[in-house]
Amino acid sequence: MPTPTPARQPRPKRAGAPQSLLDAIRERYERDAPHAHFPTDHTTIVFGEGAPDARLMFIGEAPGADEDRLGRPFVGRAGQLLDKMITAMGLKREEVYIANVLKTRPPNNDTPTPEQARRCAPYLFAQIAAVQPEAIVTLGLPATRLLLETDAAMARLRGTWASFTIPEPDPLDLLPPDLLGQTFAVMPTYHPAYLLRSYTQENRQKVWSDLRLVMDRLGIA
Ligand code: URA
């Protein structure tokens, strides 16, 4: 079950530049290499990118071939659709932060298993804590299920605000204590790759209505 809707008031953004913290998380990820515990087909680590103090964060599944080649998230066909979604919201790609559950390309573009997601989760959670987004859009089930700890179907989860709390204690022992235990608003929606496969008017309307809820929350509708 999704957790209750968090309070609607936008949280004041934390002062200070979190880029140094993001750099530390990336270094820690590279050192720990959690992907060494499962099969990958990667040549590079796709950590994530965007404004370190973004108001909005998108979380996808895992890098594909294009992302692996360029070392950047969402730069293939699904990424082009995500770019269109961001533009339609009146935002620029460089204003948001984009990350994935897995930071290495899975073989055959397999869906991350819950065990793989769990191994990489602390680094994603630390990215969320560093960026402090006012809203998170989870793209597809792996990201949604990881954050909301649910097995429910996307059809049930999308379109409703849920919340995610940074776990305590910090398994990486990396985050400043004031960043632990914070709760973030989460809007689950369909993954752009799913939308490309099922490019129906109905699915497009559903995703747009989810994004409108996000725009409403950010005060940019
Ligand atoms: N799909 C994802 O989930 N992430 C990417 O970075 C690219 C495609």
Side-chain angles (χ1 to χ4, degrees):
M1 281 290 288
T3 35
T5 309
R8 270 194 64 83
Q9 296 87 342
R11 270 178 311 101
K13 295 284 295 180
R14 185 169 55 93
Q19 183 59 53
S20 55
L21 183 52
L22 284 168
D23 292 342
I25 299 163
R26 177 197 279 266
E27 278 164 29
R28 180 63 182 276
Y29 179 91
E30 289 172 356
R31 201 153 15 101
D32 293 351
H35 53 271
H37 295 274
F38 52 82
T40 69
D41 183 15
H42 80 284
T43 59
T44 185
I45 289 167
V46 181
F47 179 71
E49 69 178 22
D53 59 350
R55 299 182 68 202
L56 177 59
M57 182 162 176
F58 289 92
I59 304 175
E61 200 172 299
D66 294 314
E67 289 76 22
D68 183 67
R69 193 165 40 82
L70 297 174
R72 299 179 55 208
F74 281 99
V75 289
R77 275 190 76 220
Q80 283 160 20
L81 184 52
L82 179 61
D83 286 349
K84 279 191 195 163
M85 288 158 51
I86 293 168
T87 305
M89 296 174 81
L91 295 169
K92 296 191 177 78
R93 182 174 162 121
E94 54 275 20
E95 283 176 317
V96 305
Y97 193 88
I98 306 174
N100 281 306
V101 171
L102 300 193
K103 305 198 183 321
T104 49
R105 183 188 182 202
N108 313 308
N109 297 325
D110 289 341
T111 302
T113 65
E115 164 62 13
Q116 292 167 354
R118 195 188 55 73
R119 279 200 183 271
C120 297
Y123 309 88
L124 175 64
F125 296 169
Q127 283 173 294
I128 295 169
V131 174
Q132 300 265 301
E134 287 164 51
I136 298 170
V137 176
T138 50
L139 301 165
L141 274 179
T144 303
R145 288 183 166 163
L146 178 65
L147 264 62
L148 304 189
E149 296 187 81
T150 175
D151 283 335
M154 182 55 81
R156 263 204 45 216
L157 297 167
R158 59 149 291 273
T160 303
W161 284 107
S163 63
F164 164 73
T165 300
I166 302 291
E168 295 182 85
D170 173 15
L172 303 177
D173 204 15
L174 180 67
L175 295 171
D178 62 311
L179 296 189
L180 303 177
Q182 292 195 78
T183 295
F184 296 89
V186 179
M187 175 56 65
T189 196
Y190 293 114
H191 194 287
Y194 167 79
L195 209 51
L196 285 171
R197 286 195 303 275
S198 304
Y199 204 65
T200 63
Q201 175 88 343
E202 192 190 351
N203 285 342
R204 278 182 290 167
Q205 270 169 0
K206 283 180 186 166
V207 171
W208 182 236
S209 114
D210 299 343
L211 298 180
R212 294 283 307 185
L213 291 172
V214 175
M215 291 162 64
D216 210 21
R217 186 177 194 100
L218 297 182
I220 57 171

